[in-house]
Amino acid sequence: IIASGIETFWHDKVLFRGSRVLLAGAPKLGKSNFALGLMVAGATHGIFLGHRFSRPVKCLWLQAEIHPAFLRERVNRFTKRLDDHRRELLGSNLYVSGRIFLDLLNYQDISLAASEIERIRPDVLCIDPMSNVSTVNENSNTDVHKLLTMVDKLAGHYNCATIVGHHKGKHKGKLLSPCS
């Protein structure tokens, strides 16, 4: 769907080229599962939360939390019921990193991430969780703004939507981000 010259992928302008979706919540709430379910639906032209993607979209999940031994199991939970056609779409459109160790405010690490984004050219880029891809102080609005600005620059350069996973509420009584 093209509205105002911008391609919208899902649910009435929620996920579109240039958008940033912040997926925030307490640890172990299921944010990564939510993001993975969204990306599987996107990659296969599927339905997520009652809304079909406009077309199959290429998704890159730069994940920095799930150990490789458990990653395949998690992906399989979302894909075991797919028919052959959707499995084929998934194989062409979903790219999942191993457990990355990057600081997206470090030039060398930005270059590594950018080269992977350049290689895949995703429609949707998911970075999960924010706390594991930078050394920013999540209690500092200024620091968090710097990181999100870098994410926006990457997304803008590669013309994709972004989903950023963020843990909040880890420490009782502390404000962890400007999104709390």
Side-chain angles (χ1 to χ4, degrees), residues 55-115:
R55 65 172 176 86
V57 295
K58 195 174 284 190
C59 301
L60 171 59
W61 185 22
L62 295 178
Q63 68 88 26
E65 198 166 52
I66 304 167
H67 190 280
F70 305 111
L71 191 57
R72 180 172 296 285
E73 174 186 314
R74 187 172 292 199
V75 172
N76 284 343
R77 275 188 271 152
F78 284 91
T79 61
K80 65 183 173 188
R81 291 189 177 97
L82 295 178
D83 62 31
D84 289 342
H85 173 68
R86 295 218 190 274
R87 281 187 186 282
E88 204 172 295
L89 286 171
L90 187 75
S92 300
N93 293 319
L94 180 62
Y95 297 82
V96 180
S97 75
R99 194 180 200 182
I100 60 170
F101 298 95
L102 297 174
D103 179 353
L104 291 181
L105 293 178
N106 170 292
Y107 179 77
Q108 288 178 318
D109 288 355
I110 293 166
S111 294
L112 285 170
S115 66

Side-chain angles (χ1 to χ4, degrees), residues 35-53:
L36 180 56
L38 180 71
M39 289 183 296
V40 167
T44 62
H45 191 216
I47 296 171
F48 187 77
L49 297 180
H51 301 277
R52 182 170 298 282
F53 272 76

Side-chain angles (χ1 to χ4, degrees), residues 117-133:
I117 296 166
E118 173 74 32
R119 182 179 72 81
I120 294 168
R121 289 291 186 164
D123 298 304
V124 178
L125 169 65
C126 181
I127 300 171
D128 181 36
M130 182 172 68
S131 63
N132 289 14
V133 295

Side-chain angles (χ1 to χ4, degrees), residues 15-55:
L15 196 60
F16 56 89
R17 292 194 186 282
S19 67
R20 179 189 349 123
V21 174
L22 184 63
L23 190 54
K28 304 298 178 199
L29 192 61
K31 295 175 300 300
S32 295
N33 281 333
F34 186 92
L36 180 56
L38 180 71
M39 289 183 296
V40 167
T44 62
H45 191 216
I47 296 171
F48 187 77
L49 297 180
H51 301 277
R52 182 170 298 282
F53 272 76
S54 61
R55 65 172 176 86

